[in-house]
């Protein structure tokens, strides 16, 4: 009986850290958002985290001007409108896990989906024609990574990161205006 309660407690702990929310990104601006999309452990705990690989045809992870996309889970991110087909994993607690993984790799679905949440997006807004940069942001959840802020206003734009909870569950949004 003692072992069963221990197993149930451990399972509850793991599930409390599961990816709990889809991420919807809406770029309403006239600029491409180019940068690094990151995940992390809830509460800023130490452990594995990931960066999204560049989405083709771009050289960095990019949300084009006027585009929107939704990522339901890390392990289905390759099927989104702006697919993330590869995740770069960094694990300071176990460097053997470091490396590039396909979005549908078992490590992503069995470990990262269970432990990580969306952390944020560190990006520059760039003119899609000239490539000139305008504003830069580190938008995300400051409880996952204190370098992120949930809202900011630049010279030509603004960006917000927030979560809405409905009876069907939470959804996290990144909106760029």
């Amino acid at each position: 009986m003692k072992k069963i309660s221990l197993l149930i407690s451990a399972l509850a702990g793991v599930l409390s850290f599961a990816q709990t929310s889809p991420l919807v990104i809406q770029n309403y601006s006239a600029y491409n958002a180019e940068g690094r999309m990151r995940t992390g452990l809830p509460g800023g705990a130490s452990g594995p985290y990931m960066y999204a690989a560049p989405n083709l045809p771009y050289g960095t992870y990019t949300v084009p001007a006027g585009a929107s996309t939704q990522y339901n889970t890390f392990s289905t991110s390759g099927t989104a409108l702006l697919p993330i087909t590869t995740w770069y994993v960094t694990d300071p607690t176990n460097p053997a896990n470091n490396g590039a993984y396909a979005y549908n790799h078992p490590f992503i679905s069995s470990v990262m989906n269970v432990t990580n949440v969306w952390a944020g997006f560190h990006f520059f807004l760039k003119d899609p024609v000239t490539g000139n940069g305008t504003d830069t942001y580190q938008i995300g959840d400051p409880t996952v990574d204190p370098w992120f802020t949930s809202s900011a206003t630049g010279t030509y734009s603004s960006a917000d990161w927030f979560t809405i909870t409905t009876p069907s569950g939470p959804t996290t949004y990144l909106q760029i205006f």
Side-chain angles (χ1 to χ4, degrees), residues 34-106:
E34 302 178 15
R36 299 181 76 182
M37 174 68 71
R38 186 179 178 286
T39 72
L41 273 68
S46 182
Y49 57 91
M50 304 184 295
Y51 285 100
N55 48 330
L56 297 175
Y58 306 101
T60 59
Y61 175 75
T62 301
V63 181
S68 294
T69 193
Q70 179 170 330
Y71 302 107
N72 292 320
T73 66
F74 307 129
S75 61
T76 60
S77 62
T79 63
L81 183 62
L82 299 174
I84 299 171
T85 59
T86 303
W87 288 100
Y88 299 124
V89 174
T90 301
D91 188 349
T93 60
N94 185 357
N97 293 328
N98 293 350
Y101 292 85
Y103 74 95
N104 56 359
H105 188 280

Side-chain angles (χ1 to χ4, degrees), residues 97-168:
N97 293 328
N98 293 350
Y101 292 85
Y103 74 95
N104 56 359
H105 188 280
F107 182 76
I108 301 300
S109 59
S110 65
V111 175
M112 301 310 282
N113 270 359
V114 174
T115 61
N116 272 219
V117 295
W118 300 106
F121 188 24
H122 179 194
F123 63 96
F124 294 90
L125 289 178
K126 293 187 177 180
D127 185 295
V129 176
T130 66
N132 293 334
T134 59
D135 297 325
T136 183
Y137 296 101
Q138 288 181 225
I139 297 293
D141 185 343
T143 66
V144 177
D145 187 329
W147 289 100
F148 289 117
T149 183
S150 59
S151 185
T153 300
T155 304
Y156 302 97
S157 61
S158 64
D160 298 295
W161 182 282
F162 57 93
T163 299
I164 295 175
T165 302
T166 66
S168 61

